[in-house]
């Protein structure tokens, strides 16, 4: 699986995230933290109390959720339940996790508090109980090894929302939904200690977040030796950088796959593609990546010794032809292909797909062919193959667009593929007359790329025969395992399988489970080309500069590994000098004295005497041993780090290891020192001055308010009982000020969590000011009250405060969240009002309250879905913090009314259906939250064109093409949720206002029968409506009125069927049937489970608007930029 819902691996800047229909960690919005949830009733039933000790512990948990359709939260957690001390809970997305299906997962409830490296393995089933007919309960089983990266697992597309929310189906009874989970905890498989190289001889590829689709393709290409050899022979130079050169990055990757002992990273390759982190977290299509990558390589190979390799390996040709039947005319066109897309739907195997591919289409009747010089003619149209390539790539069309449902669907049907594929069968029926019949088109299967999951995401891996022997291997990201042929072939055919009940006492029905893991791409190699394609590839095929570079990388890696293993024998000594302070202060750092990670570090054996280490320092810096004095650093209680005291002569005779233990209470391997060196006026070294208890070492920084510049100017020993005025002349000289310049002194005390920098009284002693060894004094020219106003930051404290809190923020327009618009330098202490005022000024907006801001999600690299409320945060820093990370991005919107006013209003999106015109117009209605539906209707009337001035309007709740509610005029709008339901407004027809005693008002819905399902399931589409039917009225009478209402042409309407539908089952009607007899007298509210169904194909154009969309969606095609 690719991506944990919690994205616990924080380095994965989120992530895409993705959705696996079979087993998926949800694409969760980490941004807003846990959602509030009602306390819901739940009961647990132990299934393990009387089991034998050796049986794995199992528990069945039942969760009853009331008022289900009115849940106003995107996700909901159950109460916590325990299995052998482990805490679990069920996670549900009542309106789907960005899909039109219920999303259901099992979650490790305490994952956030578990120790690093935790792991647990469970087999489990999740079910939505059918409360009318238990045998229709939907149950799905899976297993997963839960860990910090993947702490929840389950099914993003568990069942369709239309089925769930249809009360006639039995999954919602009295608006109550019942969820069951059965969890069996088993012994953890030690994934982390598994050695792929040792077990199989091959290594895997690391997953960057959602790059399993790329990994499976790269492994397939790598294991075509001729392709690998060609990549090695692409010209590259030692000056190229892998991150900027696709050939070099691919060479490097293939070399490591061939010679490394551990899994290989793909970051250099994706960088060479020009991908950012976001691209690595978008799951793309394997076929698309394959084509784009091959096109890029083909282009890069031009003019080189390997030019034409891609064509030679993968390119075949077919002939499109149209041949007239009654005249002598034939049109042909030759086309090349690198892969073939084969139909899965309606085909039992690869041969059936090829049969369909070359199927002859008759062009006759209204569809005759316009033949040149012959006019319209009956003709045959088809495709035949001129030649097939040595490496045949077959893309199986597992994903199709379903026009009836206006969505992409995955085809999980059973589809067989042979180990040997004979494309010369039946006397070469797939071949064109021009084909070279001497070439034997017999192929052997090399690799099977598998997609596990649903249309909205999933996981990819590959089964490969690297040597075309009987041995198959599964390449699943980092892990490579040996597999038998059945696993690679039959188990990837798809279709359904019957699973035995894990606990027959719970459910006596057999359960057929759709296999969501199935073959998605097949690679065959022609038998006659096998020896050439499966050639030897060794080091002589690899450019010398590449071998040297990669061996050097490997040596460095081994060296670091060795260093790590021997770390306990060494101490790292970091030596800071005056030169480091000069270089860093005012440029890289402003607080404290030095960044110890940027000073010279020595790796010294612990048993080495410190005096010998001083010899190393002499070699490095040229400072004779007798002129070196070292000071130990100490971390103070206020978290600052300062030189504390010089080493004593006795300490310098100790070993480096002993000294580190004296200085370092945290027991890490580092010893931090400050090297004090005195240099005379003639630039010669001087012995260190004697240090008495009465003397303290102070460090001095100089501030220039005009340049807003802070720099280190030196250090001085001063008398503890002396006064600052005694060293003024020295400080003025260090600053190169005129001799009589007045100066002010400040002590830099700390900077976490806030800056503390206090004025020093010149008239009292250093000791009275509590100054000691290692303290920092910042000084500047004295300013008068007049000239202070000339500077933004006139004194040291104000400047340090500015530096501590300054923040450059990058602003983006919310509607263009990937495009940087402008940046502002702000202070983290700016209030909400300060920030929006600066943004408004930048954008030229007069009223800052019309600016609305949204924070940035550091993991998904997207705006948080909920904008920042007016004065909802105190300071800029609160806008930028996201969990334990701080962002520098904010998104802005310019509103048409002030934000406080907007927040006091309820905003509803209402689709108005005109009574006469065929148009639907979306209106945004904003009203005070305490308004009623009547207020919405009155407001809407001022915005729409009515068929007549006195027309009455009603507001309906429509969900998945069914009318669920007519809103009473007095209902408050505050609780109406238009995020998941469509609000539809329409005029009330006159006939409905004067219903007779025996008239019925019925629901009428469009539907089609979905043959994809195991049973012929009703699928609703289009716009539902009400219809008045009279007592004794026949279907013929009603059809006339429906045709007139919908304005359907006669020829089309004649194909429509009409059915009374109850509990989802259609009962087809005859023209003479009395329709009113089928409908019971009942209140129109809640009557959606009985309706008059109009069965026909959905040929209507899709509306120009969509509902149910997320606030932000990002879909990008695969692009390789370099």
């Amino acid at each position: 699986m690719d991506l944990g819902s919690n994205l616990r691996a924080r380095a994965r800047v989120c992530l895409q995230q993705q959705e696996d229909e079979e087993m998926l960690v949800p694409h969760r919005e980490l941004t807003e933290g846990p959602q509030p949830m009602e306390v819901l009733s739940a009961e647990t039933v132990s299934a393990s109390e009387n089991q034998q000790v050796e049986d794995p512990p199992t528990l069945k948990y039942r969760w009853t959720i009331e008022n289900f359709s009115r849940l106003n939260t995107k996700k909901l957690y159950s109460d916590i339940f325990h299995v052998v001390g482990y805490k679990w809970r069920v996670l549900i997305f009542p309106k789907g996790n960005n899909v039109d299906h219920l999303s259901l997962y099992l979650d490790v409830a305490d994952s956030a508090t578990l120790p690093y490296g935790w792991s647990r393995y469970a087999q489990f089933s999740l079910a939505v109980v059918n409360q009318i007919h238990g045998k229709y309960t939907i149950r799905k089983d899976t297993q997963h090894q839960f860990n910090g990266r993947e702490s929840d697992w389950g099914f993003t597309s568990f069942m369709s929302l239309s089925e769930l929310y249809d009360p006639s189906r039995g999954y919602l009874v009295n608006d109550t939904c019942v969820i069951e989970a059965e969890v069996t905890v088993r012994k953890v498989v030690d994934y982390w200690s598994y050695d792929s190289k040792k077990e199989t001889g091959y290594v895997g590829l690391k997953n960057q977040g959602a790059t399993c689709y790329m990994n499976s393709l790269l492994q397939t290409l790598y294991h075509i030796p001729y392709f690998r050899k060609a990549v090695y022979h692409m010209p590259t130079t030692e000056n190229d950088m892998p991150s900027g050169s696709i050939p070099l990055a691919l060479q490097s990757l293939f070399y490591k796959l061939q010679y490394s002992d551990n899994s290989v990273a793909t970051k250099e390759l994706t960088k060479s593609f020009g991908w950012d982190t976001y691209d690595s977290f978008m799951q793309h299509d394997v076929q698309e990546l394959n084509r784009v990558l091959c096109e890029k390589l083909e282009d890069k190979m031009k003019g080189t010794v390997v030019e034409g390799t891609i064509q030679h390996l993968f390119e075949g040709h077919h002939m499109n032809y149209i041949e007239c039947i009654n005249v002598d005319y034939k049109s042909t066109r030759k086309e090349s292909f690198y892969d073939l897309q084969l139909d899965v739907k309606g085909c039992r195997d690869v041969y059936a797909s090829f049969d369909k591919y070359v199927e002859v289409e008759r062009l006759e009747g209204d569809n005759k062919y316009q033949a040149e010089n012959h006019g319209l003619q009956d003709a045959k149209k088809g495709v035949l193959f001129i030649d097939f390539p040595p490496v045949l790539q077959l893309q199986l069309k597992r994903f199709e667009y379903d026009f009836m449902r206006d969505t992409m669907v995955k085809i999980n049907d059973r589809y067989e593929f042979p180990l040997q594929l004979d494309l010369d069968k039946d006397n070469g029926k797939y071949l064109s007359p021009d084909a070279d019949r001497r070439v034997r088109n017999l192929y052997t299967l090399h690799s099977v790329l598998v997609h596990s999951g649903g249309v909205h995401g999933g996981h990819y891996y590959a089964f490969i025969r690297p040597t075309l022997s009987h041995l198959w291997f599964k390449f699943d990201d980092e892990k490579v395992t040996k597999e038998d042929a059945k696993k690679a072939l039959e188990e990837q055919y798809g279709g359904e399988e019957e699973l035995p009940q894990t606990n027959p006492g719970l459910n006596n029905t057999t359960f057929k489970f759709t296999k969501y893991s199935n073959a998605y791409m097949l690679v065959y190699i022609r038998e006659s080309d096998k020896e050439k394609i499966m050639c030897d590839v060794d080091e002589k095929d690899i450019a010398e500069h590449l071998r040297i570079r990669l061996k050097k990388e490997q040596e460095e890696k081994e060296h670091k590994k060795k260093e790590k293993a021997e770390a306990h024998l060494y101490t790292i000594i970091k030596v800071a000098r005056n030169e480091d302070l000069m270089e860093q202060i005012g440029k890289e750092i402003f607080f404290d004295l030095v960044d110890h990670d940027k000073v010279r570090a020595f790796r010294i054996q612990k048993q080495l005497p410190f005096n010998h280490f001083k010899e190393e320092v002499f070699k490095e810096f040229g400072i004779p041993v007798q002129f070196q004095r070292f000071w130990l650093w100490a971390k103070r209680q206020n978290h600052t780090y300062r030189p504390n005291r010089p080493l004593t002569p006795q300490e310098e005779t100790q070993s480096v290891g002993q000294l580190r233990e004296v200085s370092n209470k945290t027991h890490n391997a580092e010893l931090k020192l400050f090297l004090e060196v005195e240099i005379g006026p003639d630039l010669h070294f001087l012995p260190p001055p004697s240090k008495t208890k009465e003397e303290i070492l102070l460090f001095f920084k100089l501030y220039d308010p005009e340049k807003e510049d802070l720099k280190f100017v030196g250090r001085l020993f001063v008398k503890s009982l002396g006064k600052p005025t005694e060293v003024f002349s020295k400080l003025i000289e260090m600053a190169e000020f005129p001799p009589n310049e007045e100066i002010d002194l400040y002590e830099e005390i700390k900077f976490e969590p806030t800056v503390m920098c206090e004025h020093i009284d010149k008239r009292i002693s250093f000791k009275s000011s509590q100054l000691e060894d290692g303290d920092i004094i910042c000084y500047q020219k004295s300013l008068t009250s007049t000239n202070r106003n000339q500077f933004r930051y006139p004194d040291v404290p104000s400047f340090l405060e500015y530096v501590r809190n300054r923040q450059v923020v990058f602003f983006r327009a919310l509607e263009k969240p990937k495009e940087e618009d402008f940046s502002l330098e702000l202070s983290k202490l700016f209030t909400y009002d300060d920030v929006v005022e600066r943004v408004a000024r930048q954008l030229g907006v007069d009223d800052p309250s019309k600016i609305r801001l949204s924070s940035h999600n550091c993991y998904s690299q997207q705006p948080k879905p909920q904008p920042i409320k007016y004065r909802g945060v105190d300071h800029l820093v609160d806008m930028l913090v996201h969990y334990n990370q701080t962002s520098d991005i904010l998104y802005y919107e310019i509103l048409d009314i002030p934000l406080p006013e907007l927040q006091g209003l309820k905003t509803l999106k209402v689709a108005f259906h005109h009574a006469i015109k065929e148009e639907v117009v979306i209106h945004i209605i904003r009203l005070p939250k305490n308004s009623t539906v009547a207020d919405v209707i009155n407001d809407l009337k001022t915005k729409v064109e009515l068929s007549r001035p006195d027309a009455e309007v009603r507001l309906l709740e429509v969900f998945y093409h069914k009318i669920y509610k007519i809103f009473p005029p007095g209902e408050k709008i505050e609780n109406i949720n238009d995020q998941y339901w469509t609000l539809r407004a329409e005029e009330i027809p006159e006939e409905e206002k004067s219903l007779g005693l025996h008239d019925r008002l019925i629901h009428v819905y469009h539907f089609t029968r979905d043959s994809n399902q195991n049973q012929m399931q009703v699928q609703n589409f289009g716009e539902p409506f009400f219809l008045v039917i009279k007592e004794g009225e026949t279907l013929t009478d009603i059809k006339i009125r429906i045709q007139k209402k919908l304005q359907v042409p006669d020829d089309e309407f004649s194909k429509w069927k009409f059915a009374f539908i109850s509990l989802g089952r259609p009962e087809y009607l005859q023209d003479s049937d009395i329709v009113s007899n089928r409908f019971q007298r009942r209140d129109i509210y809640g009557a959606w489970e009985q309706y008059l169904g109009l069965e026909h194909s959905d040929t209507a154009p899709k509306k120009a608007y969509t509902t149910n969309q997320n606030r932000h969606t990002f879909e990008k095609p695969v692009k390789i930029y370099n």
Side-chain angles (χ1 to χ4, degrees), residues 862-962:
Q862 297 178 15
K864 292 186 183 181
Q866 297 301 323
I868 298 167
K869 291 185 176 178
Y870 179 72
R871 293 180 178 167
V873 295
D874 293 329
H875 298 102
L876 173 64
V877 67
D878 303 314
M879 299 179 186
L880 301 177
V881 170
H882 177 59
Y883 286 86
N884 60 345
Q885 293 201 16
T886 300
S887 164
D888 60 359
I889 297 169
L890 287 175
Y891 303 87
Y892 70 85
E893 299 167 86
I894 303 173
L895 306 174
D896 56 348
I897 61 172
L899 182 55
E901 186 181 332
L902 179 64
Q903 287 178 185
L905 301 176
K906 174 74 174 180
T907 301
L908 293 175
K909 187 165 65 174
V910 179
F912 180 71
H913 291 238
H914 199 278
I916 301 168
K917 300 177 183 176
E918 285 188 26
E919 66 177 22
V920 177
V921 182
I922 301 292
H923 291 276
I924 304 300
I925 307 291
R926 288 180 184 149
L927 291 171
K929 290 180 179 176
N930 60 355
S931 302
T932 63
V933 169
D935 297 323
V936 174
I937 291 170
N938 290 333
D939 186 79
L940 188 66
K941 282 181 175 180
T942 65
K943 300 177 178 179
V944 301
E945 179 188 348
L946 299 174
S947 62
R948 57 184 190 282
D950 62 341
E952 293 182 37
V953 176
R954 63 186 169 201
L955 191 65
L956 309 175
E957 184 177 75
V958 178
F959 186 59
Y960 280 94
H961 315 289
K962 292 184 179 181

Side-chain angles (χ1 to χ4, degrees), residues 579 618 621-624 627 677-680 682-688:
E579 288 84 345
F618 167 63
F621 299 130
I623 302 166
F627 300 128
V677 179
E678 294 294 328
I679 298 177
D682 56 358
L683 301 181
H684 283 89
F685 294 116
L686 299 175

Side-chain angles (χ1 to χ4, degrees), residues 571-578 580-581 594 596 599-600 602 604 610 613-614 617 621 628-634 641-647 651-652 656 659-660 663 670-676 699:
T571 291
I572 303 296
I573 303 180
K574 293 185 173 179
V575 177
R577 303 181 297 145
N578 250 37
D580 296 309
L581 276 60
V594 76
H596 291 276
V599 303
R600 177 68 171 87
F602 299 82
I604 304 296
F610 186 81
F613 163 69
K614 293 174 80 172
V617 173
F621 299 130
Q628 301 173 19
R629 178 157 65 187
F630 289 92
W631 290 65
L632 291 169
W633 292 79
Y641 218 56
R642 306 287 168 81
N644 184 44
R645 65 174 180 83
L647 291 176
E651 285 173 331
E652 292 195 357
V656 166
L659 199 55
R660 181 191 64 80
S663 73
E670 291 184 355
L671 172 62
K672 295 187 177 80
L673 299 172
F674 174 72
L675 173 56
E676 177 200 346
F699 293 82

